[in-house]
Amino acid sequence: MESKRQQKFAGVIQQDLAAIFQREGNAYLPNTLVTITKVRVTPDLAIARVFLSFFNNTNTQQALQLVKSHASEIRYKLGARIKDQVRIIPQLEFFVDDTNEYVERMDALFDKISREPRQPDTEE
């Protein structure tokens, strides 16, 4: 369970990272929209786990590795934005948020189930 402080700090990081990716994300991943879906912060506020969603990109693992390779540069830009609000700039760990893929898979399963002929209910 995250404390209010962690939640507030995660929100600040999420907003600022979103602005960084919106302005300069094209330099890291051309023609790809990067969305920060969730940020989780450790209790000591030293590590921020950032969950990303990639749109208009077929290889999410390659995109994630590219973002990870620029992690120190992204952290520096984040630090420039939040330096007056925090004591330490957290280390950034990036992960793929596969919620959209999971939802699409579940929708496909439900569609398949709804197309199958129904068994008549047998009641005695």
Side-chain angles (χ1 to χ4, degrees):
M1 185 73 183
E2 286 187 328
S3 68
K4 290 280 186 194
R5 182 174 178 223
Q6 285 172 279
Q7 291 173 358
K8 185 176 180 182
F9 189 57
V12 168
I13 291 173
Q14 185 172 1
Q15 284 182 330
D16 287 329
L17 281 177
I20 290 168
F21 275 106
Q22 185 177 12
R23 288 197 180 123
E24 300 160 22
N26 208 21
Y28 310 128
L29 296 164
N31 301 323
T32 301
L33 177 65
V34 180
T35 305
I36 290 89
T37 57
K38 189 175 6 179
V39 176
R40 297 279 184 236
V41 182
T42 57
D44 62 355
L45 307 180
I47 299 173
R49 293 181 177 94
V50 182
F51 293 86
L52 304 173
S53 180
F54 301 99
F55 296 100
N56 201 20
N57 191 321
T58 55
N59 191 344
T60 57
Q61 290 304 319
Q62 182 182 14
L64 179 67
Q65 289 304 319
L66 199 57
V67 169
K68 284 182 178 181
S69 69
H70 291 285
S72 60
E73 181 183 344
I74 296 168
R75 181 176 183 246
Y76 177 79
K77 290 177 182 180
L78 176 67
R81 295 175 79 94
I82 66 171
K83 67 180 186 290
D84 297 331
Q85 302 170 8
V86 297
R87 277 187 278 155
I88 60 168
I89 309 303
Q91 291 292 329
L92 301 175
E93 295 179 355
F94 294 102
F95 300 94
V96 173
D97 184 10
D98 58 353
T99 306
N100 288 339
E101 294 168 11
Y102 177 76
V103 168
E104 288 174 8
R105 205 168 340 126
M106 294 306 289
D107 282 343
L109 283 174
F110 287 132
D111 285 344
K112 182 181 175 187
I113 291 170
S114 68
R115 283 191 217 118
E116 290 180 0
R118 292 188 52 122
Q119 298 286 331
D121 292 337
T122 55
E123 292 192 24
E124 297 176 15

